Amino acid sequence: MGFLWWLAAATAAVAASLETHVPPVPSCINGSHPQPPDQMCASFCNGQCAFLGRNDTGRPEVLDLYRVTPANATSPANKNFGDALGDLEFYFYIRSGEGGKFLRGDNIVGRFSVKVDGLWGPYLKCNPRGDVTNTSEPDDNFLCDYACLDPPCPPLVHNSSEACSCPGTHREHETVGREHNPLGGVPVPLSLRPTIPPLPSGYLNCTEAVVKYECDYAASVDECVACIGRHNVTLRACGDDASVQGAACRVDTTNYTECIHAVETLTSCTRPTNVASYRECFACAYRALGTSTEWRDSHCPFLAIEDFCLSGMSEWWPYKPLLLEGDWYSLPAEGECRAEPEAAIAAAKQEMGCSWTASLVKFVNETCITDRVDKVVMSRNSACFDGCPDTDAVCWQECYFTGLAGNATAGLEPMTADTLQQLWVSSFQAESDGGCPTLIPPHHTGE
């Protein structure tokens, strides 16, 4: 009887919220007087605010989300998703040579209808901790956390405006996370980036590895060095020099703008006097900063060098920026509503600790979608591909990303987000309407 009374009251509360259009809790991140991170996170962890954008209502809504996944890992729990544009950006990210290391090649794409409570939390990275090719219970291999590129995931130790650790309530693992595509748009393909030149000092290579494997999330320099030891690639980059490891572990990203400016002030790698291209800038800055004690003592990350050189892309590179403005989402298992309370999902959150539920709409073969996208991209730059038929060649990558993102010199406009989104979404229509064939994975359970 008590539960029925509570459910009726919760439903009435949600209905009242819908009528007044007032979020049930204030925004943690968009107030007129922003709180310090620790104070803001205390409010978030206690359920007193949510990561609401300026146009968010804080009320339940239904999202159309997609996920590229191996055919034996089809549960939505502890997984990352994207809207149509977000998943397209992820596909281009993989095609550029990065990301999706656990995707084996026999991938499928799922479209899900996801009901969320609207009380957004911070975005978490969800990745497999073991061999995702195992066909027994592969979905149990996935974990979500802030620094979860290679589970088990180290705990967050520094609260910020984008991340909160809630050791008492675990609310960050009970909320649906959302983030504007952290890549910032279509990336520069790895094959088109410059090769990092040999360095007289191991600091920059070590810093690169520390940031890549997110060892800088560790609570102390000692824990960061221990994190280095858990990654053989990182350890090779850092060597056995404790001073190099310690300096790399003191990387400071809090003053990132100043770090980018420091690249310019500490080097002669400025445009257009001394370098003529992005690659020359990158190599020039690495050589100069590899022996700079001022740079080492600044504890700036190597990424500032790349971003400094990327800032000249409009002068050096034929690509125009292609920003699809997609969103990425995390659905932590602890937040799944296993017994959905229908209209009371938001009000039930405090009592039941749930924030989302998902229903499968359709699985299709990944190649059915990507072949359609690639065909349109390649048709925009067909002459280039005629002169470079080898798909493993650097020129093929350049032809592809020029067709996608445009070429200012040639007057080729970038593809529009609407065109790309339509290619993606239409693939999930009924096969009779031109969509891809429905795929039923052998290990999928649930709706």
Side-chain angles (χ1 to χ4, degrees):
M1 182 70 177
F3 175 76
L4 292 176
W5 174 87
W6 168 83
L7 184 58
T11 304
V14 173
S17 175
L18 289 171
E19 289 178 5
T20 58
H21 301 283
V22 176
V25 297
S27 174
C28 301
I29 56 178
N30 277 321
S32 56
H33 301 288
Q35 297 175 309
D38 287 342
Q39 186 177 343
M40 180 207 77
C41 286
S43 297
F44 169 77
C45 293
N46 292 325
Q48 297 170 337
C49 67
F51 280 53
L52 302 179
R54 298 192 183 280
N55 297 320
D56 289 329
T57 64
R59 296 189 298 277
E61 58 181 295
V62 179
L63 305 174
D64 191 33
L65 300 185
Y66 303 83
R67 173 171 175 77
V68 182
T69 185
N72 62 322
T74 57
S75 164
N78 274 350
K79 305 296 195 305
N80 290 131
F81 283 75
D83 55 21
L85 292 177
D87 237 28
L88 271 161
E89 286 174 310
F90 182 63
Y91 168 60
F92 295 136
Y93 182 51
I94 294 173
R95 183 170 269 292
S96 75
E98 296 195 60
K101 294 180 176 63
F102 61 88
L103 297 172
R104 304 190 308 274
D106 59 341
N107 307 314
I108 60 177
V109 183
R111 177 184 178 183
F112 288 78
S113 177
V114 182
K115 298 179 183 179
V116 300
D117 67 354
L119 300 177
W120 304 106
Y123 176 80
L124 304 178
K125 297 173 182 177
C126 305
N127 283 295
R129 56 182 155 180
D131 180 12
V132 78
T133 64
N134 173 22
T135 59
S136 56
E137 291 181 331
D139 283 320
D140 291 341
N141 286 347
F142 283 73
L143 292 175
C144 297
D145 220 317
Y146 295 107
C148 207
L149 291 179
D150 187 12
C153 318
L156 177 75
V157 293
H158 299 296
N159 289 327
S160 71
S161 60
E162 298 177 348
C164 294
S165 177
C166 305
T169 65
H170 299 285
R171 190 180 177 216
E172 79 275 34
H173 288 106
E174 295 180 349
T175 55
V176 178
R178 179 187 60 179
E179 181 174 76
H180 214 44
N181 171 22
L183 305 177
V186 175
V188 179
L190 283 179
S191 60
L192 301 181
R193 298 180 190 180
T195 301
I196 299 175
L199 297 170
S201 165
Y203 166 65
L204 284 175
N205 283 338
C206 187
T207 304
E208 172 181 358
V210 167
V211 174
K212 178 179 180 180
Y213 289 98
E214 300 185 334
C215 293
D216 51 325
Y217 274 89
S220 67
V221 172
D222 288 342
E223 289 187 20
C224 175
V225 172
C227 175
I228 289 174
R230 290 195 293 270
H231 299 282
N232 290 333
V233 174
T234 314
L235 191 60
R236 286 198 297 272
C238 294
D240 296 324
D241 188 335
S243 64
V244 170
Q245 295 176 8
C249 281
R250 293 188 183 92
V251 161
D252 181 8
T253 59
T254 56
N255 296 309
Y256 196 63
T257 302
E258 287 80 354
C259 285
I260 294 176
H261 180 64
V263 179
E264 185 168 15
T265 58
L266 294 177
T267 73
S268 59
C269 309
T270 52
R271 314 178 297 274
T273 308
N274 298 313
V275 291
S277 70
Y278 163 76
R279 299 186 186 206
E280 287 186 24
C281 172
F282 203 74
C284 172
Y286 256 77
R287 291 191 186 98
L289 297 178
T291 56
S292 169
T293 56
E294 291 178 88
W295 177 261
R296 183 194 63 202
D297 293 341
S298 72
H299 303 304
C300 286
F302 88 104
L303 291 171
I305 301 173
E306 183 168 3
D307 283 345
F308 165 75
C309 291
L310 282 171
S311 66
M313 288 282 281
S314 60
E315 300 173 36
W316 293 336
W317 211 252
Y319 304 153
K320 289 186 176 182
L322 180 61
L323 304 177
L324 299 182
E325 306 292 344
D327 285 323
W328 292 9
Y329 299 82
S330 53
L331 302 183
E334 292 179 50
E336 184 176 6
C337 300
R338 301 191 181 278
E340 183 192 350
E342 285 297 329
I345 186 171
K349 183 177 177 60
Q350 294 300 321
E351 298 289 336
M352 301 181 67
C354 72
S355 58
W356 65 271
T357 183
S359 299
L360 173 65
V361 177
K362 184 177 182 178
F363 276 121
V364 303
N365 196 306
E366 181 193 30
T367 56
C368 180
I369 303 178
T370 55
D371 285 352
R372 295 178 181 208
V373 173
D374 291 350
K375 182 178 180 180
V376 174
V377 172
M378 294 172 67
S379 69
R380 304 179 79 247
N381 200 22
S382 56
C384 182
F385 287 103
D386 290 342
C388 185
D390 182 1
T391 57
D392 294 325
V394 171
C395 60
W396 197 95
Q397 281 275 60
E398 189 158 5
C399 292
Y400 185 91
F401 280 86
T402 299
L404 174 65
N407 183 309
T409 304
L412 180 63
E413 293 294 321
M415 292 189 70
T416 66
D418 287 345
T419 297
L420 289 165
Q421 180 170 270
Q422 179 60 26
L423 283 169
W424 191 269
V425 173
S426 64
S427 299
F428 290 88
Q429 293 177 338
E431 193 172 355
S432 59
D433 295 326
C436 294
T438 298
L439 190 67
I440 302 177
H443 300 279
H444 181 68
T445 59
E447 289 189 69

